[in-house]
Amino acid sequence: MEEEEEAIGFLDKVLEDEDVFLLEECELGTPTSPSSGSPFLVTVKVEAGKGLEMRKLVLSGFLASEEIYINQLEALLLPMKPLKATATTSQPVLTIQQIETIFYKIQDIYEIHKEFYDNLCPKVQQWDSQVTMGHLFQKLASQLGVYKAFVDNYKVALETAEKCSQSNNQFQKISEELKVKGPKDSRDSHTSVTMEALLYKPIDRVTRSTLVLHDLLKHTPVDHPDYPLLQDALRISQNFLSSINEDIDPRRTAVTTPKGETRQLVKDGFLVEVSEGSRKLRHVFLFTDVLLCAKLKKTSAGKHQQYDCKWYIPLADLVFPSPEESEASPQVHPFPDHELEDMKMKISALKSEIQKEKANKGQSRAIERLKKKMFENEFLLLLNSPTIPFRIHNRNGKSYLFLLSSDYERSEWREAIQKLQKKDLQAFVLSSVELQVLTGSCFKLRTVHNIPVTSNKDDDESPGLYGFLHVIVHSAKGFKQSANLYCTLEVDSFGYFVSKAKTRVFRDTTEPKWDEEFEIELEGSQSLRILCYEKCYDKTKVNKDNNEIVDKIMGKGQIQLDPQTVETKNWHTDVIEMNGIKVEFSMKFTSRDMSLKRTPSKKQSGVFGVKISVVTKRERSKVPYIVRQCVEEVEKRGIEEVGIYRISGVATDIQALKAVFDANNKDILLMLSDMDINAIAGTLKLYFRELPEPLLTDRLYPAFMEGIALSDPAAKENCMMHLLRSLPDPNLITFLFLLEHLKRVAEKEPVNKMSLHNLATVFGPTLLRPSEVESKAHLTSAADIWSHDVMAQVQVLLYYLQHPPVSFAELKRNTLYFSTDV
């Protein structure tokens, strides 16, 4: 059953994650004696005040989710009583035995959680720093035996429910639309959920409760009376998860191999394959001895979905050609950047519309229609955004090419395959029947059920973070020999991962110390990845697919961006463990509404936060010195840098440059020539971002928003040119100077990968964002701010970037036939 397999996959993942989590916690904590080696005894130094405040945040979040869970259990129990009442009549819907099988232990689980919730709720609502609740979690953990009984019966319960649905229309109707109450403070009174989905919730819940215990321990001082009780609850929960995982694991065996051995599914996921010159979305399955590439068959309504095998390679015959050995890719036309950005904007706008419909309790049909549109755009984005080649070769013939969005995924697939290839594997050929059986098992065994797009997420899942994540990459340890080392940072955005920052290369060392800070913009992000590379300077190792020298991944790691942990004013230090390498880093988050505020400088002697007219008048220049110098340096040595203006510069370098420009230091030019080019690009962006009002002015902002929305090209041209002429002279001259620079950067797009659209996305909000973001009643989230304001800001700048060059003199001389009141 697919829900069972989903549950198993989830439990496996949590266990793997938690083992790593516990190891990290022990190493991050205070030194303990070897005798204290139990992985459950997590010792972490917690600042008392901060820790207790975080405890309340963790508990409040957990309490809210516990209320949702209790409502889900109530919804499941609601039909049980009437079904039991009819069981003893002459026309029963279900027999007593069927009812007891399907609803086995649900009543017990409900009572346990109801009691837990009723006891915990007043403690959180009447919060006191001395409050204790460890005993409640300890009691909850001690009752996990009920969950063991539920899990043992889970498969039978689902099978029974499915059989009963097929044979009884009345029960089918009941099981397809169970009504779940919304939280007390929610506008949604009820949501419809299937019985199958609700039966999965207890399995999901026990893993989430364990993760909450981790968070609570992390923020509980060691001397707090709750600490030992929470440790005990965590130990019981962890042991319970291990035991049920062992019980479930044998069920994961797929089919037997020709030699009679068990063949298990190790990894599966959606990848984009280049086939016959076009991109196709495939579901790839890695078994213990074979890699199988499949696609979902189109099936008529009501029928079970099935997979169609496109090809398979026994792992004994699978080889990875090195990048320099592989032939150049078949010609696949890349999707233009501006079209990808348009898709993102459509997705954001559709998200906002869906939120509005839900807030106004709109028709479910309208919401479904919007969701369908959103899925279509997200699917196109998923198909067309990956660019990183991943080649697989069958030593007996054909090669296959996948495109991935991150080196991280490529490394994961390669490592998983190479690990299996260390075993004694034999080559084989599957008969048509064997291939049919294996492909048939894929649907039941898959762990990744849905295409990874946000429209497939549950409504109660986190929308992710919008704003700026500040990350300091401190140092790394664990390298066996000296190497030239650097790290890259990635965050997820629109369902796939994007590289956002890169440290400098630390030469010939086993213990690099970067201490570099980056500011990363988040767009609904939920995860941060750190990849550690060894820099290769051998020019013979060039990847024919993209003509770049291939660097070797030394380690990679990922952490969830938990809003409760990240959204604090203080830095949060952590360690990522990756293949024996440990990278220490710190992070803090600034929400978009906080980061959007422009703050005028208190002193007028510098250049940052000072009006552009004041700076140009003081300097007796037409364009501020800082703008001219940064542009000159980027054009001199950064115009071919991959991701220039997109990749973050080191924050400490940017702050150092800011200080010398503010002080008008005579060493500016020397410092610029020595500084990393991404830091110089970052300084230029920071200058425009910190102007007390935007370069295109607050006064004209509403008119720019209206002008870009005009449909008639002639009217738009007249309006947009008139608005340029309406700018103060220093603003206009600086804007035209910057436009010409950005156009020159875009001319090098084949090398630097920065199109006009990419540059508009980076600079649009920086040049147009008003100094005061007015509170708008219709905006319900940071995502809405992104989807409305930022999209329009990007479009305004893109309009001018795509427009033929226009000079200051020409603008001032050319009077249009009409005048617009601005």
Side-chain angles (χ1 to χ4, degrees), residues 472-522:
I472 302 174
V473 182
H474 295 295
S475 60
K477 290 179 181 175
F479 298 98
K480 293 184 172 65
Q481 54 195 51
S482 286
N484 302 312
L485 303 163
Y486 70 92
C487 287
T488 62
L489 305 179
E490 293 182 350
V491 291
D492 57 312
S493 172
F494 292 91
Y496 60 95
F497 278 81
V498 184
S499 183
K500 289 282 191 174
K502 178 180 170 184
T503 68
R504 70 185 186 278
V505 179
F506 216 99
R507 297 288 188 106
D508 197 25
T509 180
T510 55
E511 291 194 6
K513 288 185 173 59
W514 294 285
D515 288 321
E516 293 181 43
E517 183 185 332
F518 302 94
E519 182 184 80
I520 297 170
E521 186 168 9
L522 304 181

Side-chain angles (χ1 to χ4, degrees), residues 139-170:
K139 185 178 178 184
L140 188 66
S142 69
Q143 295 169 310
L144 283 172
V146 176
Y147 276 90
K148 177 78 168 74
F150 175 85
V151 170
D152 288 343
N153 180 70
Y154 178 70
K155 186 180 179 185
V156 186
L158 276 188
E159 285 172 355
T160 307
E162 193 175 348
K163 279 178 192 166
C164 292
S165 285
Q166 287 166 357
S167 61
N168 189 305
N169 284 341
Q170 206 175 342

Side-chain angles (χ1 to χ4, degrees), residues 70 165 207 292 388 398 419 443 451 453 526 530 574 708 746:
I70 288 166
S165 285
T207 53
L292 184 143
I388 294 174
K398 204 171 171 192
K419 188 177 175 184
F443 190 82
I451 294 168
V453 293
Q526 293 180 306
I530 299 183
D574 212 335
I708 200 64

Side-chain angles (χ1 to χ4, degrees), residues 180-197:
V180 179
K181 268 193 311 193
K184 286 169 198 158
D185 54 354
S186 164
R187 289 186 185 181
D188 299 330
S189 55
H190 288 89
T191 50
S192 294
V193 188
T194 64
M195 183 173 286
E196 188 180 11

Side-chain angles (χ1 to χ4, degrees), residues 230-297:
L230 291 172
Q231 274 191 327
D232 192 44
L234 178 60
R235 179 183 55 77
I236 296 166
S237 302
Q238 188 76 34
N239 284 338
F240 170 73
L241 277 177
S242 301
S243 70
I244 63 167
N245 194 61
E246 284 161 16
D247 290 349
I248 290 176
D249 208 46
R251 301 181 202 166
R252 294 198 67 187
T253 302
V255 287
T256 52
T257 64
K259 291 170 68 180
E261 295 165 354
T262 55
R263 174 180 284 142
Q264 290 185 303
L265 179 65
V266 176
K267 179 177 174 62
D268 70 301
F270 288 94
L271 300 182
V272 174
E273 184 187 13
V274 177
S275 173
E276 297 166 359
S278 63
R279 294 165 182 251
K280 314 277 188 188
L281 191 67
R282 305 294 194 213
H283 201 148
V284 181
F285 295 85
L286 175 62
F287 290 93
T288 35
D289 63 339
V290 64
L291 185 79
L292 184 143
C293 177
K295 76 162 191 174
L296 267 176
K297 278 185 185 177

